[in-house]
Amino acid sequence: MTLIRSWIESANAPDTDFPLNNLPYGVFSLPNENKRMGVAIGDKIIDLPKLVENGHLSHANLIPNGHDNPFLQESWNDFMALGPGFWRFFREALTKSLSEGSDPSHIEEALVPMAEAKLLMPFRVSEFTDFYASRHHATNVGTMFRGAENALPPNWLHIPIGYNGRASSVVVDGTDVIRPQGQLKGPNQDVPSFLPSRRFDFELEMGAIVGVPSDGPISLDDAMANIFGYVILNDWSARDIQAWEYQPLGPFQAKATATTISPWIVTAAALEPFRVDTPEREFDLLDHLKDTGPMLYDIDLEVAIAPEGKDETVITRTNYREMYYSSAQQLTHHTSSGCPMRVGDLLGSGTISGPSKESRGALLELSWGGKEPLTLDTGETRSFIEDGDTITMRGAAKGDGYRIGFGKCAGKVLPARS
Amino acid sequence: MTLIRSWIESANAPDTDFPLNNLPYGVFSLPNENKRMGVAIGDKIIDLPKLVENGHLSHANLIPNGHDNPFLQESWNDFMALGPGFWRFFREALTKSLSEGSDPSHIEEALVPMAEAKLLMPFRVSEFTDFYASRHHATNVGTMFRGAENALPPNWLHIPIGYNGRASSVVVDGTDVIRPQGQLKGPNQDVPSFLPSRRFDFELEMGAIVGVPSDGPISLDDAMANIFGYVILNDWSARDIQAWEYQPLGPFQAKATATTISPWIVTAAALEPFRVDTPEREFDLLDHLKDTGPMLYDIDLEVAIAPEGKDETVITRTNYREMYYSSAQQLTHHTSSGCPMRVGDLLGSGTISGPSKESRGALLELSWGGKEPLTLDTGETRSFIEDGDTITMRGAAKGDGYRIGFGKCAGKVLPARS
């Protein structure tokens, strides 16, 4: 795939996250204005309510009868609910209007400089599920907690292991995160204490957004078709709260403080040219989970940490293709019991760790449980996140002379409540 | 507390679930009509949109400025969002209008026979959390799975253990439940198979409904005040799916098929006279969880099972006061990490088992993992639920000559999808 050239020059720059091939969907506000839906293109945002106001995006062919205008909402949920046919129709129409050679006039009036916009939550999260699907991550964590022989739980190579998270705690890039308090108990303490977490961590993940509801088990191909798009996701994790609480029913408050997502929904359509195969299977997957084609994406990812007032250091670089299970396999498994899925359900991929030390997706792994602190470019060391640190995740699929970027997924950690 | 007599005679009967002291909130439909909000009283439902239509429930004193009429919605969420002051105001006004001696005319016109109504989901579940807070249940299950010495996990006496469930799967009384399929692996099998669950079970619980949103940690007294009301809850559970999937991140598809709730929200206000103490603590709870007064309720509960086309047998009788943790303690713990709570969040108490064999809240315990099948009054035996079985839960707090009932929480299990 090559760059689709646009009459918006900044969209043709090889280093923009938002060429015409991308067209990700977001929600933004300008100073003193209401939330608005927008599409990123180069260094601009297309202000969709403005297009509507100017008489566009409301043609009978575009908006199905009996629906509110999906471009005048505060999230992309209503748009998603119109279904994959409508998603394709809109993307094709927009691609045509923005292509080099098209008449720019009606869109030009609705362009807003991205630098002036505040980016907001792009969709309402119905429910949030988090998975555990990188073999390297599961092996690393398992080795630390249970020893190398028992690193991978016996079900891991058969089930895309997941647990339900907390949708109310999902926030967008740029939101500060207050260090959680919780019950902590050291190995030499008889009873726990209620204290600020000392082992607060990030987890580098991708989030898949369900755009089509379902009411019973769905096939892998349907699951692939039902995923509207992807964001980068930081599943903030309090390792010490988790260690004490997680037996026998799994992580709960350790994961409930916040989950940060990048502000632009990069559609599955934009990522289509970057599909890659899942890895070879050690055991055949059960029929309903068996790969039907390339189901992962080749997306480079990185995480940087910046102590308060200082430059950032990139501390890991990995790729979404490292996963053992695709988000479609996770979604199929999620529905296998008959669990209904709704528009706006968010599925976290699980921490994305590669095979090397430098490609691990969490400080827990990077510092090997705190035993091997990282040295940052500033000379400071880190085992876990300290107050004032900003964690920034970035990612992009890289084509020939262009990139499908996600924007950034950043959050600063503030001291615990006193 | 004694019965508050009403001019509606059926509300004064000692065996009605719905005396004037109760006034639970629901949503119903009549044949060929839209969903409507209603209040149960004796064998009638007060049709609230009808009251509005007749010029009531819209007085400036009643509906705050700038709000849609909360009685014309399809759920009680908007009503709840108006806050505890409004809850009290409405309950007091209604109690007055329905009391013996009040003028019946304007309400009489809006009464509907409950027998003609179909009862629907009374509120939109924002998110669903399920706890594990009966010591008898946790000890029974722990003994079966880990032996008597390790029955209670070390954190259990300090943390109200919980996990996030799936809101999309919550259904109302009377909804059929299709037996789930899932990955099952017997101890002598090398790899799992995808099959219908063979150990499908109920769990008898109470559900607490959060009516006030919060954005950070809240105190126990605030938690108590933020709970709007209660329902009976059946957390359907596939024990064999759970056994294979639940390590290390907890139950997932085993609990995602369905959770059934009773159709009437019994308010915390109606239950107030039935508050009872939590049990003595083996360890002092941490300060933020320390009981500030009687926080449980004296509510008798029972479960009956009816094979297809046959009479039911009551197989357990227990009481909500058997819990170790109150729903307020669960809610405070839930927010301790900063987790935001929203109107319509539903907290399952966890299976309510009493100390005796006859008071256990799940077939897993009643049949001791299938080793001691129950004999029903029909002569049949049950270790777990069979296709065609209907499970019915009922409950009531019992006052002097009256009862605060919940209606029923029933579901029939249909064969797995083929």
Side-chain angles (χ1 to χ4, degrees), chain B residues 358-380:
Chain B
E358 297 70 30
S359 61
R360 294 173 182 165
L363 278 169
L364 178 68
E365 294 167 78
L366 287 161
S367 74
W368 207 250
K371 292 194 186 116
E372 303 170 15
L374 299 182
T375 301
L376 307 183
D377 295 348
T378 56
E380 285 151 290

Side-chain angles (χ1 to χ4, degrees), chain A residues 185-406:
Chain A
K185 193 180 98 53
N188 303 322
Q189 290 177 292
D190 286 338
V191 293
S193 309
F194 189 71
L195 290 169
S197 169
R198 292 158 183 166
R199 292 161 73 93
F200 196 51
D201 199 357
F202 64 82
E203 290 192 339
L204 169 62
E205 305 193 15
M206 296 293 298
I209 301 159
V210 174
V212 178
S214 55
D215 241 344
I218 62 173
S219 71
L220 212 43
D221 287 338
D222 283 348
M224 201 78 193
N226 288 3
I227 294 171
F228 177 68
Y230 290 83
V231 289
I232 299 175
L233 185 151
N234 179 356
D235 184 40
W236 303 92
S237 299
R239 305 297 177 190
D240 40 7
I241 296 175
Q242 186 171 349
W244 173 235
E245 78 175 357
Y246 92 109
Q247 287 290 8
L249 300 184
F252 183 50
Q253 289 307 286
K255 303 277 196 167
T257 303
T259 298
T260 304
I261 62 170
S262 54
W264 294 107
I265 305 173
V266 174
T267 60
L271 292 169
E272 184 65 24
F274 302 94
R275 276 166 78 151
V276 290
D277 284 325
T278 40
E280 268 196 56
R281 303 304 181 184
E282 188 164 322
F283 293 95
D284 276 350
L285 294 175
L286 288 170
D287 283 348
H288 65 299
L289 294 176
K290 213 166 256 173
D291 311 275
T292 59
M295 316 200 89
L296 288 171
Y297 298 100
D298 179 5
I299 301 171
D300 284 336
L301 297 161
E302 62 174 48
V303 183
I305 183 166
E308 178 106 60
K310 301 208 173 144
D311 287 344
E312 68 175 33
T313 303
V314 174
I315 55 173
T316 192
R317 288 188 174 86
T318 182
N319 192 295
Y320 182 50
R321 68 188 301 166
E322 297 291 349
M323 305 309 282
Y324 196 77
Y325 294 106
S326 66
S327 54
Q329 284 163 325
Q330 294 170 333
L331 178 52
T332 291
H333 173 59
H334 206 325
T335 65
S336 61
S337 68
C339 181
M341 303 302 297
R342 297 186 294 197
V343 171
D345 281 337
L346 174 64
L347 310 187
S349 60
T351 306
I352 304 169
S353 293
S356 68
K357 182 163 180 184
E358 297 70 30
S359 62
R360 294 173 181 164
L363 278 168
L364 178 68
E365 294 167 78
L366 286 161
S367 75
W368 206 251
K371 292 194 185 117
E372 303 170 15
L374 298 183
T375 301
L376 308 183
D377 295 347
T378 56
E380 285 151 290
T381 60
R382 283 294 180 277
S383 291
F384 291 96
I385 301 172
E386 299 196 1
D387 290 345
D389 287 354
T390 296
I391 304 295
T392 303
M393 299 177 174
R394 297 182 184 88
K398 290 170 186 164
D400 186 9
Y402 74 100
R403 45 189 277 142
I404 302 290
F406 286 75

Side-chain angles (χ1 to χ4, degrees), chain B residues 189-228:
Chain B
Q189 289 177 292
D190 287 337
V191 294
S193 308
F194 189 71
L195 290 169
S197 170
R198 293 159 182 166
R199 291 161 73 94
F200 196 52
D201 200 357
F202 63 81
E203 291 192 338
L204 169 62
E205 306 193 14
M206 296 294 298
I209 300 160
V210 175
V212 179
S214 54
D215 241 343
I218 62 174
S219 72
L220 212 41
D221 286 339
D222 283 349
M224 202 78 193
N226 287 2
I227 295 171
F228 178 69

Side-chain angles (χ1 to χ4, degrees), chain A residues 86-151:
Chain A
F86 192 76
W87 310 345
R88 268 192 302 278
F89 180 88
F90 178 66
R91 181 174 169 83
E92 284 168 14
L94 209 54
T95 302
K96 198 172 156 198
S97 303
L98 290 164
S99 291
E100 205 168 50
S102 288
D103 172 14
S105 56
H106 76 286
I107 289 189
E108 223 160 20
E109 295 169 351
L111 291 179
V112 169
M114 197 182 290
E116 290 175 16
K118 183 174 163 59
L119 301 179
L120 307 168
M121 273 293 290
F123 69 106
R124 274 192 320 279
V125 182
S126 294
E127 297 191 63
F128 171 46
T129 311
D130 196 35
F131 287 87
Y132 186 58
S134 148
R135 185 165 182 171
H136 306 295
H137 170 71
T139 304
N140 287 337
V141 172
T143 300
M144 275 183 267
F145 288 178
R146 290 177 295 270
E149 314 75 49
N150 301 308

Side-chain angles (χ1 to χ4, degrees), chain B residues 44-111:
Chain B
K44 302 284 193 292
I45 300 174
I46 308 173
D47 179 338
L48 297 181
K50 185 84 176 174
L51 275 189
V52 173
E53 201 181 298
N54 292 349
H56 307 291
L57 290 187
S58 54
H59 190 276
N61 287 336
L62 194 60
I63 316 272
N65 281 336
H67 282 272
D68 287 343
N69 190 311
F71 304 107
L72 299 180
Q73 311 303 317
E74 296 192 341
S75 77
W76 283 81
N77 295 57
D78 282 11
F79 176 90
M80 288 193 266
L82 292 173
F86 191 77
W87 309 346
R88 267 192 302 277
F89 180 88
F90 178 66
R91 182 173 167 84
E92 283 167 14
L94 208 55
T95 303
K96 197 171 158 201
S97 303
L98 290 164
S99 290
E100 205 168 51
S102 289
D103 173 12
S105 56
H106 76 287
I107 289 190
E108 223 160 20
E109 295 169 351
L111 292 178

